[in-house]
C-alpha cells in the first residue's frame, strides 16, 4: 500500500491542532481576550434584559409556550415569514442563517473537544472521518453564509428596493430625528464584518494547506474543504510554505479578534436580532390585532403614555425590528401620502427606549416621556393616519405588533381629548345613540319597511339565524339596498332569521381601534347582554368589522357565539346545493378582500366560491388575499376627513383595478368598502369604465325572476 494513500494514513493524524504553531503566551492571551469578549457580551445582555424588565407586565406573553416553540422551529427552519413577497431576500437570509448557526455550532464543538472532553476526560473525537465530514459541512455552510451576504450587499448597493430607503414620511428632511444615516452605516458594517469573518475563515484554511502541504495527512484530504483547496491550488505557485505559515498566523489573529469583537458587540448592535427576533416570534400572539388587549382597570392612566407603559414583550419586539421595510411598503396610509410608516414608529420608540431605559438608574417617572410629552403626542399625526388594517402586523417577518402598540398610544390621546373634533363628535353620537350616524335608535330598522314581508324580532322570539346588521348596512342609503337584497334572499330561501331592531348597537370594533376603550366596553357589554337574552343557533353579519369583534373580542367578556360572514353562509349553501342561482352572470369581475374579513379572519375562499358559482369570470387584483390593499376606512378613518388634495387608499385601489383588462365589476363584501370605493370610482375618473357592486347584489341578480319578454305588437294590415 502506498504510504500517501488515504487508507495508509493513521486516522488520528487526520485532524487539526487548534493552536498549532502558537507559543503558550499567545494561547493564554487569546483566552484572556476571549473571556473578556464574553464578559462584555454578558454585560450587554444584562443591560437589555434589565431594559425589558422595566416594561409593564404582559399576562398573555408566556402562555402556550410549547405550542409556540413548535411554530418557532418551523418558521426558523423554513424562513417562511421572510420568504413571503420577497423570496430572493428570504432564501439569502436562510443561507446566512443556516451558515451562521452551523459555523457557531462547529466552533462550540471544537471548544467542547479541546477544552472539555480532551482536557478533562482524555477523550478525542475530532479526527478521522468525523473531522473530514465536519470540514466539508463547515465549508458548505461558509459558502452559504458568504453567498447570502454577497446578495444582501448587491441588494442594498445596486438593486436598492424602495422599502430599504430610510427616508421618513413623518418628518421634514431637516428635522433633528429625520437623519437615519447611522442605520445605513450599521447595516453595511454588519455585512462587511460578517463577510470578512467568513472569507478569512476560508483563507486561514487555505494557508494551512499550503503551510503543511508536505504532510500527507493534510494535503491528501484537502478536497474535503473544496473552497479552501481551490484557493490553495491557485496560490500554490506563488506562495511557499514559510510565507503561507506567516500569513496563516496573521489571518488567524485577525479572524479571531474580529469574531470575538463581533460576539462582544452583539447586544449593542443590529446583530442582537439573532436573539430578539426569535424571542419575538416565540411570543407572537396569533390574534395580536384581531383581539386588542383590555385596559388595565388598576392602571392610573389608559394606554401608553410613557415608555415604561409598554409591556416587556413590546419593548423586546422593538429590538427585533431589522428595518426590512416590509411594513413600510405594505402600509396603505404611507402609500397614500400620510405621515405614517409603521417601521419608523417602531424605530423611534426603540431609540427612546434605549436612551431612557438602558441607564443604570431610571430618571424620575415624569422624565420617561419624550421631551416632556406623552409618547403618543410625539406621534400624534402619525397615529391618527393609521387604518389599523393589520397589513404591517401580517407581513412582519419577526412578529412585531404595530397595531396594538399604535392603539395603546391612541387610548391615551383619546383620554386626553387629543383628536379631530369630528371624531370626538362621532364618538359622542355613538355613546348617545349606539351608532356612528347620530340617528335615533328607532330608525335602525327603518330599512325593513320597504320589504313586502316582516322580519322577526329576535329579542321577542327565538330564531335559527340571528342577523347582526351593523351601522352602515342599517343607516347608509346606498348600503340599505344591499341589506334589503340580503333580507329578500334569506326570506326566499325560507330561513328562520331575525334581527335585533333598535336593540342592536355598534359592535365596537372601530371604536376600540380608535382608542376609546371605555366606549367600546359599554357598547360590547350592551350587545352581549342583549344576545344572552335571545334564542338563536348562530349569528350572521354582512359587516366584517362586526364579525371580527364578535368573533374574536366578545369571548373576553364570556360571549362565545358562532358567527359567520354572509359569504361563508352563501358558500355553505351553494356547496350543499340548497341554494341554486337561477341564472349565471357572464361578467368579468375582480374582488377586493376586506381587511377585517381577509387578513383579520382568513376568509378568502368563500367570496370567490360564490362568484364562481354565479358564473363570474374572476381576475385577481395584483394585491389580493392577505396582501389586499386597505380601502382606508378602518381604525375610525371613515369618520375623519382626509386632507384636501391628498390621495386616499381607496383612490390607489381604484387605479390598480382600472388597469385590469376588460374589467366590468369591482366586487366588494363590506359596507364600508362599498362606500369608500364608489366615492373613489368617481374621484379617480373611472366612472363609466366599470362599476362597484356588493357581492350580494350580483347574487340577487342571479336569483331574481327574469322580467317577462314584452308581448309582440299586433300587426295591422290594411
Amino acid at each position: 500500500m502506498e504510504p500517501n494513500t488515504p487508507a495508509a494514513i493513521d486516522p488520528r493524524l487526520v485532524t487539526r491542532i487548534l493552536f498549532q504553531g502558537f507559543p503558550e503566551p499567545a494561547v493564554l492571551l487569546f483566552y484572556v481576550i476571549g473571556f473578556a469578549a464574553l464578559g462584555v457580551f454578558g454585560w450587554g445582555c444584562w443591560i437589555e434584559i434589565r431594559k425589558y424588565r422595566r416594561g409593564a407586565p404582559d399576562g398573555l406573553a408566556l402562555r402556550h409556550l410549547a405550542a409556540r416553540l413548535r411554530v418557532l422551529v418551523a418558521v426558523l427552519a423554513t424562513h417562511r415569514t421572510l420568504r413571503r413577497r420577497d423570496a430572493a431576500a428570504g432564501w439569502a437570509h436562510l443561507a446566512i442563517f443556516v451558515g451562521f448557526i452551523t459555523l457557531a455550532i462547529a466552533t462550540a464543538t471544537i471548544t467542547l473537544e479541546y477544552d472539555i472532553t480532551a482536557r478533562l476526560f482524555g477523550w478525542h473525537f475530532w479526527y478521522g472521518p468525523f473531522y473530514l465530514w465536519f470540514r466539508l459541512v463547515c465549508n458548505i455552510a461558509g459558502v452559504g453564509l458568504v453567498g447570502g451576504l454577497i446578495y444582501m450587499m448587491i441588494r442594498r448597493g445596486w438593486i436598492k428596493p424602495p422599502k430599504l430607503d430610510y427616508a421618513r414620511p413623518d418628518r421634514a428632511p431637516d428635522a433633528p430625528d429625520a437623519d437615519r444615516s447611522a442605520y445605513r452605516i450599521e447595516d453595511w458594517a454588519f455585512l462587511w464584518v460578517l463577510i470578512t469573518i467568513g472569507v478569512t475563515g476560508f483563507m486561514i484554511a487555505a494557508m494551512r494547506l499550503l503551510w503543511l502541504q508536505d504532510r500527507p495527512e493534510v494535503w491528501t484530504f484537502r478536497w474535503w474543504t473544496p473552497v479552501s483547496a481551490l484557493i490553495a491550488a491557485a496560490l500554490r505557485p506563488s506562495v511557499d510554505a514559510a510565507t503561507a505559515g506567516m500569513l496563516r498566523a496573521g489571518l488567524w489573529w485577525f479572524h479571531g479578534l474580529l469574531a470575538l469583537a463581533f460576539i462582544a458587540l452583539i447586544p449593542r448592535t443590529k446583530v442582537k436580532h439573532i436573539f430578539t427576533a426569535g424571542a419575538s416570534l416565540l411570543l407572537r400572539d396569533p390574534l395580536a390585532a384581531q383581539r386588542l388587549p383590555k385596559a388595565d382597570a388598576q392602571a392610573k392612566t389608559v394606554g401608553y403614555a410613557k415608555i415604561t407603559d409598554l409591556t416587556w414583550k413590546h419593548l423586546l419586539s422593538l429590538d427585533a425590528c431589522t428595518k426590512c421595510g416590509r411594513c413600510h411598503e405594505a402600509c396603505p396610509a404611507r402609500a397614500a401620502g400620510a405621515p405614517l410608516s409603521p417601521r419608523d414608529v417602531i424605530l423611534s420608540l426603540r431609540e427612546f427606549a434605549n436612551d431612557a431605559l438602558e441607564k443604570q438608574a431610571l430618571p424620575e417617572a415624569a422624565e420617561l416621556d419624550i421631551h416632556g410629552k406623552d409618547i403618543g403626542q410625539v406621534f400624534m399625526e402619525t397615529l391618527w393616519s393609521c387604518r389599523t388594517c393589520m397589513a404591517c402586523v401580517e407581513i412582519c417577518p419577526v412578529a412585531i405588533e404595530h397595531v396594538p402598540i399604535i392603539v395603546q398610544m391612541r387610548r391615551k390621546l383619546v383620554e386626553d381629548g387629543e383628536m379631530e373634533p369630528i371624531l370626538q363628535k362621532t364618538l359622542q353620537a355613538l355613546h348617545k345613540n349606539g351608532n356612528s350616524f347620530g340617528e335615533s335608535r328607532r330608525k335602525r330598522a327603518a330599512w325593513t319597511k320597504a320589504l313586502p314581508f316582516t322580519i322577526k324580532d329576535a329579542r321577542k322570539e327565538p330564531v335559527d339565524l340571528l342577523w347582526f346588521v351593523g351601522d352602515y348596512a342599517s343607516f347608509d342609503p346606498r348600503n340599505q339596498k344591499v341589506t334589503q337584497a340580503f333580507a329578500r334572499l334569506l326570506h326566499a330561501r325560507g330561513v328562520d332569521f331575525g334581527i335585533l331592531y333598535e336593540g342592536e348597537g355598534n359592535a365596537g370594533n372601530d371604536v376600540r381601534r380608535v382608542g376609546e376603550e371605555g366606549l367600546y366596553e359599554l357598547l360590547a357589554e350592551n350587545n352581549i347582554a342583549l344576545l344572552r337574552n335571545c334564542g338563536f343557533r348562530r349569528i350572521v353579519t354582512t359587516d366584517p368589522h362586526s364579525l371580527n369583534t364578535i368573533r374574536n373580542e366578545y369571548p373576553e367578556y364570556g360571549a362565545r357565539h358562532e358567527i359567520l360572514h354572509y359569504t361563508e353562509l352563501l358558500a355553505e349553501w351553494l356547496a350543499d346545493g340548497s341554494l341554486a342561482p337561477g341564472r349565471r352572470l357572464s361578467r368579468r369581475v375582480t374582488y377586493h378582500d376586506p381587511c377585517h374579513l381577509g387578513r383579520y379572519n382568513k376568509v378568502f375562499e368563500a367570496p370567490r366560491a360564490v362568484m364562481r358559482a354565479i358564473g363570474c369570470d374572476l381576475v385577481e387584483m395584483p394585491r389580493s388575499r392577505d396582501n389586499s390593499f386597505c380601502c382606508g376606512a378602518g381604525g375610525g378613518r371613515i369618520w375623519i376627513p382626509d386632507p384636501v388634495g391628498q390621495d386616499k387608499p381607496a383612490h390607489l385601489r381604484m387605479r390598480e383595478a382600472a388597469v385590469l383588462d376588460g374589467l366590468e365589476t369591482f366586487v366588494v363584501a363590506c359596507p364600508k368598502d362599498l362606500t369608500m370605493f364608489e366615492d373613489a370610482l368617481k374621484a379617480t375618473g373611472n366612472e363609466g369604465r366599470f362599476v362597484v357592486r356588493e357581492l350580494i347584489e350580483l347574487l340577487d341578480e342571479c336569483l331574481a325572476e327574469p322580467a317577462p319578454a314584452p308581448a309582440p305588437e299586433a300587426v295591422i294590415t290594411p
Side-chain angles (χ1 to χ4, degrees):
M1 185 178 294
E2 293 295 326
N4 289 344
T5 60
I9 297 171
D10 184 352
R12 291 187 172 272
L13 297 177
V14 183
T15 186
R16 174 166 66 87
I17 300 171
L18 190 57
F19 295 105
Q20 190 170 9
F22 290 101
E24 281 297 320
V27 176
L28 179 62
L29 176 62
F30 179 79
Y31 273 95
V32 170
I33 296 171
F35 281 115
L38 291 175
V40 173
F41 169 79
W43 176 248
C45 289
W46 162 243
I47 290 174
E48 297 306 298
I49 292 169
R50 184 179 65 196
K51 177 178 71 178
Y52 305 145
R53 292 179 64 192
R54 286 168 169 171
D58 189 325
L60 298 176
L62 299 178
R63 286 186 177 181
H64 312 299
L65 278 183
R68 291 181 179 187
L69 185 60
R70 289 193 293 271
V71 173
L72 172 64
V73 171
V75 168
L76 293 179
T78 62
H79 262 47
R80 64 190 184 207
T81 61
L82 269 167
R83 289 189 287 109
R84 292 174 62 237
R85 300 182 213 156
D86 196 342
W91 285 115
H93 193 280
L94 180 60
I96 295 169
F97 173 78
V98 173
F100 183 88
I101 294 298
T102 302
L103 293 173
I105 293 172
T107 303
T109 303
I110 296 169
T111 303
L112 173 69
E113 200 264 3
Y114 186 83
D115 289 319
I116 298 177
T117 64
R119 287 183 184 274
L120 298 181
F121 307 107
W123 177 43
H124 295 269
F125 59 82
W126 198 44
Y127 67 88
F130 175 84
Y131 168 72
L132 294 176
W133 282 106
F134 179 95
R135 290 173 65 190
L136 180 61
V137 169
C138 288
N139 230 234
I140 295 170
V143 169
L145 175 69
V146 172
L149 290 167
I150 289 172
Y151 173 77
M152 291 302 191
M153 287 181 160
I154 293 171
R155 184 168 176 261
R156 287 185 176 274
W158 286 274
I159 300 175
K160 294 182 178 179
K163 62 188 172 186
L164 293 182
D165 178 6
Y166 294 156
R168 297 189 64 166
D170 61 334
R171 296 287 188 273
D174 58 349
D177 56 351
D179 182 21
R180 286 276 163 83
S181 58
Y183 282 134
R184 283 187 286 274
I185 293 170
E186 181 186 43
D187 292 340
W188 280 105
F190 171 70
L191 292 172
W192 275 113
V193 168
L194 204 51
I195 201 169
T196 302
I197 291 172
V199 170
T200 53
F202 286 126
M203 291 300 298
I204 291 168
M207 291 303 107
R208 179 177 178 273
L209 289 174
L210 293 175
W211 177 41
L212 303 175
Q213 59 186 285
D214 294 333
R215 297 192 182 184
E217 69 272 14
V218 174
W219 191 253
T220 304
F221 297 98
R222 64 190 182 280
W223 294 111
W224 284 86
T225 52
V227 176
S228 299
L230 286 171
I231 296 171
L235 295 178
R236 194 178 187 190
S238 56
V239 178
D240 59 34
T243 302
M246 289 187 293
L247 288 172
R248 173 213 170 242
L251 284 168
W252 193 98
W253 277 105
F254 177 75
H255 173 89
L257 293 176
L258 190 61
L260 290 174
F262 182 86
I263 292 169
L265 293 175
I266 283 175
R268 313 300 300 158
T269 62
K270 177 178 180 173
V271 192
K272 76 172 76 168
H273 83 272
I274 296 170
F275 301 103
T276 56
S280 183
L281 285 164
L282 176 65
L283 302 174
R284 162 179 255 158
D285 180 358
L287 296 177
Q290 295 94 323
R291 180 197 60 218
L292 294 175
K294 295 177 73 173
D296 184 357
Q298 306 301 319
K300 295 180 181 178
T301 60
V302 174
Y304 290 168
K306 296 178 171 41
I307 198 67
T308 46
D309 291 333
L310 272 71
T311 67
W312 65 265
K313 172 187 161 183
H314 282 163
L315 287 174
L316 183 148
S317 69
L318 300 181
D319 282 341
C321 178
T322 60
K323 311 182 296 292
C324 70
R326 297 187 190 208
C327 61
H328 178 85
E329 183 179 57
C331 179
R334 184 208 59 84
L340 168 64
S341 165
R343 176 191 64 197
D344 290 318
V345 171
I346 296 303
L347 292 179
S348 294
L349 287 171
R350 179 166 85 187
E351 289 160 10
F352 182 68
N354 289 344
D355 182 60
L357 302 182
E358 289 186 353
K359 299 171 182 175
Q360 177 69 27
L362 285 180
E364 293 297 321
E367 297 177 24
L368 292 175
D369 51 25
I370 301 178
H371 308 305
K373 295 182 178 180
D374 288 344
I375 54 177
Q377 292 173 319
V378 176
F379 302 105
M380 192 181 306
E381 192 178 2
T382 293
L383 298 181
W384 290 123
S385 298
C386 179
R387 271 67 180 172
T388 65
C389 67
M390 210 177 77
C392 51
V393 177
E394 190 273 336
I395 193 55
C396 181
V398 294
I400 295 171
E401 298 172 359
H402 314 72
V403 169
I405 292 172
I406 286 172
V407 171
Q408 287 281 23
M409 288 190 283
R410 277 183 172 183
R411 286 178 179 176
K412 185 60 170 64
L413 293 178
V414 169
E415 183 182 54
D416 294 340
E418 299 193 46
M419 66 186 102
E420 292 275 353
I422 193 169
L423 175 59
Q424 194 163 30
K425 185 178 179 181
T426 302
L427 294 174
Q428 289 168 350
L430 277 156
H431 186 273
K432 180 181 178 182
N433 300 309
N435 66 80
S436 58
F437 286 81
E439 296 284 358
S440 167
R441 294 176 184 271
R442 293 192 299 273
K443 294 183 179 180
R444 192 169 199 97
W447 59 269
T448 64
K449 295 177 181 177
L451 297 172
F453 53 87
T454 301
I455 299 178
K456 283 185 175 183
D457 187 339
R459 298 171 299 172
K460 299 176 181 177
E461 54 184 320
V463 294
D464 181 63
L465 189 67
L466 172 62
W467 178 7
F468 196 97
V469 185
D471 280 10
Y472 268 77
S474 296
F475 292 103
D476 178 63
R478 174 66 180 91
N479 275 289
Q480 283 177 344
K481 297 176 182 178
V482 178
T483 306
Q484 290 161 352
F486 188 58
R488 289 194 298 270
L489 186 154
L490 294 176
H491 179 74
R493 194 177 174 277
V495 177
D496 178 25
F497 76 101
I499 61 176
L500 297 171
Y501 284 84
E502 65 271 18
E504 178 185 301
N506 185 288
N509 183 83
D510 297 275
V511 171
R512 193 174 212 196
R513 278 146 191 81
V514 161
E516 226 312 2
E517 184 70 6
L519 178 55
Y520 162 74
E521 290 183 358
L522 175 66
L523 293 168
E525 287 168 359
N526 288 343
N527 283 325
I528 290 167
L530 184 60
L531 291 173
R532 283 201 186 105
N533 293 321
C534 296
F536 58 89
R537 188 167 65 89
R538 53 184 181 171
I539 303 172
V540 68
T541 184
T542 48
D543 176 24
H545 295 244
S546 298
L547 170 80
N548 179 72
T549 204
I550 295 173
R551 176 180 285 179
N552 297 314
E553 296 184 313
Y554 281 15
E556 287 184 297
Y557 296 83
R560 299 182 181 277
H561 304 290
E562 181 186 357
I563 181 169
L564 303 173
H565 187 253
Y566 80 87
T567 57
E568 297 177 284
L569 192 65
L570 296 180
E572 179 185 304
W573 290 342
L574 288 165
D576 66 19
S578 60
L579 178 64
R583 57 196 178 98
R584 293 171 64 83
L585 298 179
S586 297
R587 194 171 301 172
R588 190 166 176 80
V589 307
T590 193
Y591 172 66
H592 168 79
D593 288 279
C595 300
H596 282 76
L597 183 63
R599 245 191 317 272
Y600 270 69
N601 286 284
K602 308 304 178 188
V603 179
F604 300 120
E605 290 305 322
R608 290 168 171 82
V610 175
M611 283 180 275
R612 286 192 296 267
I614 60 179
C616 291
D617 175 18
L618 174 64
V619 54
E620 293 284 1
M621 292 287 287
R623 288 176 287 191
S624 62
R625 298 179 182 267
D626 53 14
N627 190 30
S628 184
F629 192 77
C630 176
C631 75
R637 285 299 311 189
I638 199 168
W639 305 324
I640 306 172
D642 289 293
V644 176
Q646 179 179 304
D647 262 340
K648 299 179 181 180
H651 295 170
L652 304 182
R653 192 64 161 164
M654 282 295 96
R655 295 190 188 109
E656 189 177 8
V659 302
L660 297 177
D661 186 42
L663 179 66
E664 296 175 83
T665 306
F666 185 92
V667 182
V668 299
C670 171
K672 291 185 175 70
D673 283 345
L674 186 60
T675 299
M676 299 296 286
F677 288 129
E678 285 200 331
D679 289 345
L681 186 71
K682 301 170 187 175
T684 56
N686 286 301
E687 195 172 21
R689 296 186 59 189
F690 57 93
V691 297
V692 177
R693 292 289 182 268
E694 239 285 355
L695 182 53
I696 293 170
E697 295 179 296
L698 298 188
L699 187 60
D700 191 47
E701 283 186 49
C702 294
L703 297 175
E705 292 291 333
E713 294 183 6
V715 179
I716 303 175
T717 55

